[in-house]
Amino acid sequence: MAAVVEVEVGGGALAERELDEVDMSDLSPEEQWRVEHARMHAKHRGHEAMHAEMVLILIATLVVAQLLLVQWKQRHPRSYNMVTLFQMWVVPLYFTVKLHWWRFLVIWIFFSAVTAFVTFRATRKPLLQTTPRLVYKWFLLIYKISYATGIVGYMAVMFTLFGLNLLFKIKPEDAMDFGISLLFYGLYYGVLERDFAEMCADYMASTIGFYSESGMPTKHLSDSVCAVCGQQIFVDVNEEGIIENTYRLSCNHVFHEFCIRGWCIVGKKQTCPYCKEKVDLKRMFSNPWERPHVMYGQLLDWLRYLVAWQPVIIGLVQGISYILGLE
């Protein structure tokens, strides 16, 4: 025997058959939520088998999609990265316009305009001497801003969960919205800038000639030249530089410290730009205060899948459910 749903509204109880006749304009927000919740339960009662089928479709689609994405990434990494980058850049724009998030849209337009200019400079031939530094400075700035924004957002969420927002007389919903918004901004732009930086790093290094994704470089590297930017190194490894220091990898190749850090952290590279020997990041970032940047970068790489492909997979699941007549 089916259970009867009753909802308390205005001091009285409404039966299930009366839910569709309720005038929502006369109810408080809490009572409106109760009525909507009861309507949803009434609509989906008796659909347990259908819901089980939808869950199985979701799990199967996630597994198959993950396998296909892994194979695509391994066999054709360049096309995979380009499509992923395009989706991360465009998919949030659709939801922004649809939900009228104009503040996000303004920031997105500003970021896209500056990044487009930087990317244009990075892909020109011949490459200007100042371009590598410009590229790494811009993306390093975005990286640090996104890192700080994410930390502040996370702290705001934690303070709200522990009720500390009440000390400042801030409503829980306002504090939580503020924290989640900052967390989203930090993670989204952190993911986006790392992919753009990786693409620019590949283009610049290939143009300079000391780096090649496959095969040998087209130029011979001397100890007085940085393979990342192609400029002269004036400070010895054992000397303390006034403007910047010089860093030697375990493979004995020497770089400007700013360039090799940008190559590894911002450009997502973990190999020497010249000989492709693996870089010891723990040795490079021996300061414990710098190591969280490495972990944050790894977190952003993991979030790429959620930002770029999760909405596509969910849309695919909804399409399959619609074709099969599942609600």
Side-chain angles (χ1 to χ4, degrees):
M1 182 176 179
V4 177
V5 178
E6 290 190 352
V7 184
E8 290 189 5
V9 176
L14 292 176
E16 178 181 336
R17 61 181 179 274
E18 299 174 326
L19 291 175
D20 295 332
E21 303 174 359
V22 176
D23 186 2
M24 302 290 284
S25 61
D26 296 333
L27 304 180
S28 66
E30 182 179 355
E31 291 174 337
Q32 290 179 5
W33 180 86
R34 289 179 182 176
V35 172
E36 292 292 343
H37 192 66
R39 285 176 177 175
M40 183 187 69
H41 277 282
K43 179 180 179 180
H44 292 279
R45 186 182 298 110
H47 296 175
E48 289 77 10
M50 183 182 297
H51 295 163
E53 291 180 24
M54 295 175 68
V55 171
L56 291 176
I57 292 173
L58 174 62
I59 295 175
T61 305
L62 287 174
V63 172
V64 173
Q66 183 64 31
L67 293 175
L68 292 176
L69 289 174
V70 169
Q71 289 298 316
W72 183 13
K73 184 177 181 180
Q74 292 177 349
R75 297 174 183 272
H76 306 283
R78 181 178 290 273
S79 63
Y80 171 83
N81 290 331
M82 291 298 294
V83 173
T84 302
L85 176 59
F86 179 76
Q87 287 192 186
M88 286 192 302
W89 189 40
V90 173
V91 169
L93 180 63
Y94 165 76
F95 293 102
T96 297
V97 176
K98 182 178 181 180
L99 300 175
H100 307 294
W101 293 344
W102 306 124
R103 180 174 52 192
F104 178 87
L105 182 60
V106 171
I107 297 175
W108 185 91
I109 292 175
F110 173 77
F111 171 84
S112 299
V114 178
T115 301
F117 171 74
V118 172
T119 303
F120 175 81
R121 289 280 299 272
T123 54
R124 295 305 93 192
K125 294 181 180 181
L127 193 68
L128 298 178
Q129 294 182 355
T130 57
T131 298
R133 298 250 168 180
L134 170 67
V135 171
Y136 286 122
K137 283 182 179 179
W138 166 248
F139 288 117
L140 182 61
L141 173 63
I142 298 299
Y143 180 84
K144 291 182 176 180
I145 292 176
S146 70
Y147 181 75
T149 304
I151 291 296
V152 173
Y154 176 78
M155 292 177 62
V157 171
M158 290 295 101
F159 283 175
T160 305
L161 293 178
F162 285 107
L164 298 179
N165 58 291
L166 299 177
L167 298 176
F168 303 95
K169 297 181 180 180
I170 302 176
K171 295 180 180 179
E173 54 271 23
D174 294 338
M176 187 62 73
D177 288 344
F178 174 76
I180 292 177
S181 297
L182 288 184
L183 198 58
F184 171 76
Y185 277 101
L187 295 178
Y188 172 71
Y189 286 106
V191 171
L192 202 57
E193 63 84 17
R194 276 174 66 82
D195 273 26
F196 271 111
E198 181 183 24
M199 180 182 67
C200 292
D202 284 340
Y203 271 108
M204 291 189 301
S206 298
T207 301
I208 292 172
F210 295 115
Y211 171 79
S212 175
E213 291 188 20
S214 59
M216 295 297 295
T218 58
K219 292 183 180 180
H220 174 71
L221 179 66
S222 66
D223 290 341
S224 61
V225 176
C226 174
V228 176
C229 67
Q231 302 304 306
Q232 291 288 323
I233 297 176
F234 299 103
V235 181
D236 189 76
V237 175
N238 299 320
E239 296 179 357
E240 186 71 23
I242 299 176
I243 299 178
E244 72 173 333
N245 297 321
T246 304
Y247 188 85
R248 185 189 298 275
L249 297 179
S250 57
C251 58
N252 289 326
H253 291 127
V254 181
F255 306 89
H256 296 124
E257 187 176 28
F258 175 82
C259 293
I260 193 61
R261 283 172 175 256
W263 173 267
C264 293
I265 295 300
V266 181
K268 297 200 302 182
K269 307 296 184 181
Q270 296 187 13
T271 58
C272 172
Y274 186 71
C275 68
K276 297 184 177 65
E277 181 176 320
K278 188 172 179 59
V279 175
D280 186 358
L281 295 180
K282 292 183 179 180
R283 175 173 167 265
M284 179 181 293
F285 299 96
S286 57
N287 188 338
W289 292 104
E290 294 179 328
R291 291 183 181 177
H293 288 286
V294 179
M295 294 185 290
Y296 179 66
Q298 294 172 347
L299 171 64
L300 294 178
D301 291 339
W302 179 77
L303 287 174
R304 292 172 75 246
Y305 171 79
L306 296 179
V307 175
W309 294 108
Q310 199 67 16
V312 177
I313 294 174
I314 296 300
L316 182 62
V317 170
Q318 291 180 343
I320 295 174
S321 300
Y322 176 79
I323 293 174
L324 297 179
L326 304 176
E327 295 183 2

